[in-house]
Amino acid sequence: MPAISALQAARAAYQPKLPTVFANGAAVNIIEGEATTAAADLDQIKALFPETYGAPKVTFEVNATSDSAAINVAVILSGGQAPGGHNVIAGIFDGIKSLNADSKLYGFLGGPGGAVDNKYMEIDSAIMDAYRNTGGFDIIGSGRTKLEETAQFDKVIANCKALNIGALVIIGGDDSNTNGCVLAEYCKAQNSGILVIGAPKTIDGDLKNEDIEASFGFDTACKVYSELIGNISRDACSARKYWHFIKVMGRSASHIALECGLQTRANVTLVSEEVEAKAMTLNGIVADIADKAVKRANKGEHFGIVVIPEGVIEFIPQMKVLIAELNDLLAHDTSLSESLPVAQDIAQLQAHGLSSESAGVYLSMPANIRQQLVMDRDPHGNVQVSRIETEKLIASMVEMYMQENHSDIHFSEQHHFFGYEGRCAAPSNFDADYCYSLGYTAAALIGAGKTACLASVKNLKSPASEWIAGGIPLTSMMNVERRHGADKPVIKKALVELDGAPFKELAANRDQWALHSAYVFPGPIQYFGPTEVCDQPTITLTLEQS
């Protein structure tokens, strides 16, 4: 038996809170709303999903009795880890057992690939109890196999039928639930009798809409990162000599950076969506940060905090052009990157067609970043943007700018990347409750015979007893996007809205936060104590729902 910490032992005994509608278990009465359409491209989505398109949203009412037949359910963890995944599984387990004590829960191992390769385990009460309220996805593991091909679907159906599995729950983000939607359509078209339900997971926070108010894991991850940023802010106030450039997760959307900026009141918080909307340049971003450093230095404060979303580099228009040109050049001549000595590579790149504008951007960056751009390629020859150390790029460029333009002012930089630190943290009370409720909701949808639905729990700024559970058709979240040269149906990502309340809160305060050391120090996640300390949702959610 592995050793566990005192906190693990205490958390194992925590009973997550549920919406009142589940007072008698997952057997509920279903209330159907009006038929749904799609997020965009209605005719195309309808044509692609004739079996599942147009289904209504559903909510629940308490049912006093339950006479459900036993059902075997399987669960898949898909994509990157997010705090609370184990509690989704616990909610499914307890939910289907409340429908019928003879129901069984299986887990396909290693993500969607396990469903294709028939690698599975039965999750019994002893196994489940060991993982309640814990972080990570290690109960069954996760994976990134995409379920897209008919041959895969046929294997999943055959493997489920061999275990008498009547429902499959896919716990994942927008891409995983897109695959789930396609699988649900196929299962229904084949009259397989297998239901497919999704649960909204991603710490990035970009799987949300009016019915999915938050993706699970976002709350915990932001609290973990904000604690660390707060600790660094306190150190900055103590040492009074460093500017800290802190990159946080968020490749496609800046929800994490925005939330952490709001929680800690960093001096500068970059938001990728604003950078793109205002067509900001890399040099412009650098000059703006340097200007704030000068103003703070004139007050005797030679320190500061800059929060950077990891994907910001792709939102700078001139960087997008540079990366596109480099991808094109190096794709046509794969040996070119190997022959580029960084000190002299610009001439070779221009000789192969790099534009003068892109050459200027390229030369403005430090040599180590230029080397990453031309040397670090993916299997298709493309720049591996996610590996570019954006925090080091911006920090070093600000330092260079200060040396060239304000050499009389002391400026010293430090850089950090907070990513994996937040993905498997023990879930906050909010995420523990929310995830358990999502799992219970998935069980209720299965009990009601629904398919191609994403579990939805709303009214999240209120106490858990007042949360509203239901289901939203996956097709209602879909649009068509160009992926790898072809039109694909995908769940639309939710980016930071510049006219939304969270960004407006940042915009209204950032000039004051830039000039003054108005830092807030969130401290570690609290699990025991008053509700205002332990159960509060994110600032983002609070502002959006106010």
Side-chain angles (χ1 to χ4, degrees):
M1 182 72 180
I4 62 172
S5 69
L7 179 62
Q8 281 179 281
R11 288 302 283 169
Y14 177 74
Q15 179 57 48
K17 299 178 283 293
L18 278 171
T20 302
V21 73
F22 295 129
N24 296 323
V28 294
N29 292 327
I30 296 292
I31 303 173
E32 294 191 346
E34 295 181 359
T36 59
T37 55
D41 311 302
L42 277 58
D43 291 340
Q44 289 172 275
I45 299 300
K46 184 176 182 179
L48 289 166
F49 298 94
E51 299 289 338
T52 55
Y53 182 86
K57 298 177 185 179
V58 299
T59 53
F60 304 148
E61 282 185 341
V62 175
N63 186 349
T65 60
S66 173
D67 57 356
S68 300
I71 185 170
N72 291 352
V73 176
V75 63
I76 294 173
L77 292 169
S78 181
Q81 292 83 340
H86 290 160
N87 269 30
V88 178
I89 297 175
I92 298 168
F93 181 89
D94 292 349
I96 63 173
K97 291 291 187 180
S98 77
L99 293 172
N100 188 304
D102 292 328
S103 295
K104 292 182 180 180
L105 181 63
Y106 293 89
F108 282 116
L109 304 179
V116 176
D117 299 332
N118 203 31
K119 296 178 180 178
Y120 66 90
M121 61 181 282
E122 183 179 348
I123 300 173
D124 60 23
S125 58
I127 294 171
M128 193 68 259
D129 288 348
Y131 285 93
R132 293 177 186 271
N133 308 309
T134 61
F137 277 8
D138 46 310
I139 185 172
I140 54 173
S142 186
R144 296 186 182 274
T145 300
K146 292 185 180 297
L147 299 177
E148 298 179 305
E149 300 173 1
T150 300
Q152 292 176 311
F153 300 155
D154 288 336
K155 288 181 179 179
V156 170
I157 291 173
N159 294 335
C160 285
K161 285 189 173 182
L163 294 169
N164 195 30
I165 289 169
L168 185 63
V169 181
I170 297 176
I171 302 171
D174 56 319
D175 284 339
S176 300
N177 279 293
T178 292
N179 294 157
C181 186
V182 177
L183 176 61
E185 175 73 18
Y186 187 81
C187 286
K188 192 167 184 180
Q190 296 297 311
N191 294 313
S192 69
I194 298 170
L195 310 175
V196 181
I197 302 296
K201 177 248 10 162
T202 170
I203 66 167
D204 289 351
D206 56 8
L207 176 52
K208 65 178 182 178
N209 51 47
E210 64 179 352
D211 295 289
I212 307 298
E213 295 178 354
S215 53
F216 80 76
F218 177 74
D219 182 274
T220 304
C222 287
K223 285 172 178 170
V224 169
Y225 300 144
S226 293
E227 178 200 350
L228 296 173
I229 294 168
N231 293 347
I232 289 174
S233 300
R234 183 72 82 181
D235 186 87
C237 291
S238 302
R240 305 185 68 82
K241 61 181 179 181
Y242 293 120
W243 272 80
H244 294 268
F245 291 76
I246 304 169
K247 183 174 72 175
V248 294
M249 297 288 264
R251 172 82 185 269
S252 299
S254 304
H255 297 290
I256 291 177
L258 176 56
E259 175 65 24
C260 291
L262 291 171
Q263 284 198 31
T264 63
R265 300 186 179 183
N267 300 107
V268 179
T269 298
L270 296 181
V271 174
S272 299
E273 291 85 344
E274 181 187 27
V275 168
E276 183 174 53
K278 294 184 177 179
M280 295 180 182
T281 65
L282 181 58
N283 287 335
I285 292 169
V286 167
D288 181 66
I289 297 172
D291 177 66
K292 292 174 171 59
V294 170
K295 289 177 179 177
R296 288 180 58 79
N298 290 337
K299 294 171 71 250
E301 299 189 335
H302 297 269
F303 60 93
I305 305 293
V306 181
V307 176
I308 302 166
E310 68 171 329
V312 70
I313 203 79
E314 293 183 270
F315 285 77
I316 299 172
Q318 59 181 182
M319 286 299 299
K320 291 176 74 170
V321 172
L322 170 62
I323 291 168
E325 290 187 16
L326 288 175
N327 285 342
D328 190 50
L329 295 180
L330 297 171
H332 284 90
D333 187 352
T334 55
S335 65
L336 182 58
S337 63
E338 300 172 4
S339 67
L340 290 172
V342 173
Q344 304 165 10
D345 55 10
I346 194 63
Q348 288 193 59
L349 289 171
Q350 286 188 289
H352 283 75
L354 187 70
S355 68
S356 58
E357 293 81 4
S358 291
V361 176
Y362 185 77
L363 286 173
S364 71
M365 294 185 288
N368 64 316
I369 302 297
R370 297 205 304 267
Q371 189 167 20
Q372 287 182 19
L373 284 168
V374 297
M375 299 293 288
D376 203 2
R377 325 295 296 169
D378 70 13
H380 303 287
N382 296 321
V383 173
Q384 298 206 71
V385 179
S386 62
R387 294 190 181 182
I388 296 174
E389 297 172 307
T390 313
E391 73 282 14
K392 294 182 181 179
L393 165 64
I394 294 176
S396 59
M397 290 186 69
V398 172
E399 187 166 38
M400 289 165 53
Y401 184 97
M402 293 293 289
Q403 290 172 354
E404 293 171 3
N405 298 281
H406 302 282
S407 58
D408 58 319
I409 293 178
H410 168 77
F411 182 88
S412 186
E413 46 90 3
Q414 299 279 350
H415 31 75
H416 318 264
F417 173 37
F418 298 147
Y420 291 96
E421 294 87 345
R423 298 204 314 170
C424 287
S428 63
N429 280 2
F430 174 88
D431 267 331
D433 297 345
Y434 179 44
C435 290
Y436 189 69
S437 297
L438 285 171
Y440 230 87
T441 299
L445 290 168
I446 291 168
K450 296 297 180 181
T451 191
C453 280
L454 191 65
S456 166
V457 178
K458 299 172 25 176
N459 198 32
L460 295 175
K461 70 178 178 63
S462 299
S465 61
E466 299 174 19
W467 290 353
I468 301 168
I472 173 175
L474 286 165
T475 52
S476 71
M477 304 169 64
M478 304 282 273
N479 70 167
V480 174
E481 295 179 11
R482 196 76 175 169
R483 299 278 182 92
H484 305 295
D487 288 340
K488 296 283 188 180
V490 295
I491 291 175
K492 189 174 183 179
K493 281 187 182 291
L495 304 181
V496 170
E497 296 179 357
L498 302 185
D499 59 352
F503 180 80
K504 285 183 175 180
E505 178 73 8
L506 176 73
N509 290 283
R510 58 184 170 186
D511 287 345
Q512 287 295 313
W513 294 349
L515 187 60
H516 304 290
S517 301
Y519 309 128
V520 173
F521 311 103
I525 294 173
Q526 301 296 303
Y527 300 103
F528 310 100
T531 187
E532 63 269 19
V533 175
C534 299
D535 299 333
Q536 291 305 297
T538 58
I539 294 174
T540 294
L541 182 61
T542 302
L543 290 171
E544 287 177 339
Q545 299 302 312
S546 294

